[in-house]
Amino acid sequence: MQNNKKIGLSLSGGGYRAAAFHLGTLNKLDEMGILDKVDVLSTISGGSITGAAWCLHEGDYKSFHSEMKKKLETKNVISYIFRSAVFIGAVALVLAFLGTAIALSFTSYAPLLFLVLAVLVYILLRYQFRIFPVSKVIEQAYRKFFFGNKTLSQLCKDRPVIAIGSSNLETGRPFTFSQRKMSDSGYAAKPRYEVPVRFKNEKFPVARAVMASSCVPFAFTPIYIDSDFFEDPADTGRAKPVLVDGGVYDNQGIQKLTQNKSSYECDIIITSDAGGNFFANKKYPNAIMLLVRTVDLFMYRIKASQMQTNLYHNIQNGARPISYFSLGWTLDRCLTGFVDNMIAKTILPEVLNMHGFQPTWIELPEKYRAEITAHLKEQTGFAAISARGLNEEDAAIASGVGTNLTSLSPDQTLCLITHAENLAELQVKLYCPMLVNPTE
């Protein structure tokens, strides 16, 4: 909270890449004295890994940072899956069928070969989630590596309120987990639900909430809510939440922070986006690669739409200071973008006034671009930030990290953290100067 204004921080999805990138964001906000003032922490997928771990940590930020960085470099969720009994059992089942099919091909029962394969295909399609419930295995990994047996009620008692976001396929709305509640506004919508469906959050495992938040469609099995977590167990007949990755609905986590009358709505927002760039000229040799590319396009479109609504149209929609930065950005682009936004009239007058621009600069920013840029460089300490910036090779390392749950190399974590630190400092100084130079 600052001057009676709620501060919100959103951490996007992006697997371990996002988890490491957001460590840099948290570290810089801690250095700037802002982290302890954050009222709401909205997290998605990989951002939920770091956000939930921070909200469970007992101690100062520095000790958490060191501990979390080490875990991201040594704890490999994908390897854990491949070593699990569930995976080995699923592979054994498939191999048994294939072995039977091969054996039949050398006997007089060879015509049964296609029947055996048909049965295998049927079983895999009909019972895939039972045979290989990969999300349960990942939940076990999350519990072992990051969250233990902690429940939602054990998250930060006071501040920040964390909102771990997932997407509910039943209602088409976000399903959110926090230390205060777990809910989906769709279950209070009339006339379908005359009596709202409510859930019990106190004993819900943090590891399962983060699994729901990072449950990539097609790759992982959906998360369901057991009857034990319904206030009225009979409501399982009225509501059957089917939860997948929060990024399907809101990959930046910013929607909850900007939604009018939401309990998570904030007045000042910082958004840390670790989403990858959408590069052209990809090849799609099979249906799986085509499906993955299609999902990436969905995510990119959601991101672009949210940026239009929450950033570029912010003057018309809510008028609140929003500092947004993305992994694919450069420091120079941040300065250029600020002046471009001045030209487009999408920066709040409050923010412009705090920068101390001359009136003519505000009226004619395109004409005075050089003067504005020089002024901002001096005001933000751009030279010092830029000196800490990534070179071309390190920037390629950071942007080249994939969206997965495999452990990162020390170089990868260092580059991601450093880039996030620099972007966070610059963008907060540019778009939320009231957090750096508060007025009484």
Side-chain angles (χ1 to χ4, degrees), residues 72 85 88 95 147 153 155 168 183 188 190 227 272 352 426:
L72 293 176
I88 294 172
L95 290 179
F147 311 117
S153 63
L155 292 162
N168 189 352
S183 62
K190 296 182 179 182
S227 60
S272 178
L352 295 176
L426 181 56

Side-chain angles (χ1 to χ4, degrees), residues 96-140:
F97 269 90
L98 293 178
T100 300
I102 293 172
L104 286 172
S105 67
F106 293 100
T107 70
S108 60
Y109 297 100
L112 296 177
L113 168 64
F114 296 103
L115 176 61
V116 172
L117 294 177
V119 171
L120 174 61
V121 171
Y122 172 79
I123 290 175
L124 292 178
L125 292 177
R126 183 68 176 83
Y127 301 106
Q128 174 190 345
F129 293 161
R130 295 184 184 180
I131 295 172
F132 187 36
V134 62
S135 291
K136 289 185 178 180
V137 180
I138 296 176
E139 179 186 333
Q140 293 170 4

Side-chain angles (χ1 to χ4, degrees), residues 7 22 25 54 116 140 149 151 195 219 232 287 362 397 424:
I7 300 173
H22 300 320
T25 298
W54 164 235
V116 172
Q140 293 170 4
N149 294 318
T151 63
V195 178
D232 181 356
I362 297 176
I397 291 175

Side-chain angles (χ1 to χ4, degrees), residues 209-354:
V210 175
M211 182 60 248
S213 182
S214 57
C215 186
V216 179
F218 312 115
F220 303 151
T221 47
I223 301 298
Y224 302 93
I225 305 297
D226 298 335
S227 60
D228 293 345
F229 300 108
F230 283 74
E231 285 193 1
D232 181 356
D235 279 343
T236 55
R238 297 196 297 142
K240 299 184 183 298
V242 181
L243 308 182
V244 296
D245 195 302
V248 173
Y249 192 93
D250 172 25
N251 196 44
Q252 282 68 52
I254 195 173
Q255 186 265 345
K256 286 182 285 292
L257 301 181
T258 59
Q259 185 177 9
N260 290 334
K261 299 181 180 180
S262 165
S263 61
Y264 304 111
E265 183 182 9
C266 290
D267 305 298
I268 304 172
I269 296 170
I270 301 169
T271 295
S272 178
D273 177 17
N277 289 328
F278 194 79
F279 296 107
N281 300 322
K282 293 284 185 179
K283 296 181 179 180
Y284 324 110
N286 53 59
I288 294 177
M289 293 301 295
L290 183 62
L291 184 59
V292 170
R293 179 63 168 178
T294 302
V295 172
D296 287 343
L297 178 57
F298 285 156
M299 297 295 192
Y300 183 78
R301 183 67 186 91
I302 292 169
K303 173 180 176 176
S305 177
Q306 287 183 319
M307 289 181 66
Q308 287 290 333
T309 299
N310 296 304
L311 301 178
Y312 305 134
H313 297 166
N314 184 38
I315 296 292
Q316 295 80 21
N317 300 322
R320 72 193 88 210
I322 298 178
S323 171
Y324 174 96
F325 48 93
S326 181
L327 169 62
W329 291 6
T330 64
L331 297 175
D332 287 334
R333 175 182 173 182
C334 293
L335 286 177
T336 301
F338 189 91
V339 182
D340 290 341
N341 290 333
M342 286 183 65
I343 295 170
K345 307 295 184 185
T346 58
I347 298 181
L348 297 176
E350 173 190 6
V351 173
L352 295 176
N353 291 335
M354 290 198 70

Side-chain angles (χ1 to χ4, degrees), residues 74-93:
T74 59
K75 305 301 182 183
N76 192 321
V77 174
I78 304 303
S79 294
Y80 185 93
I81 294 172
F82 290 152
R83 295 195 306 268
S84 70
V86 171
F87 178 78
I88 294 172
V91 171
L93 175 64

Side-chain angles (χ1 to χ4, degrees), residues 352-364:
L352 295 176
N353 291 335
M354 290 198 70
H355 281 299
F357 294 134
Q358 295 182 20
T360 53
W361 295 2
I362 297 176
E363 293 174 9
L364 301 170

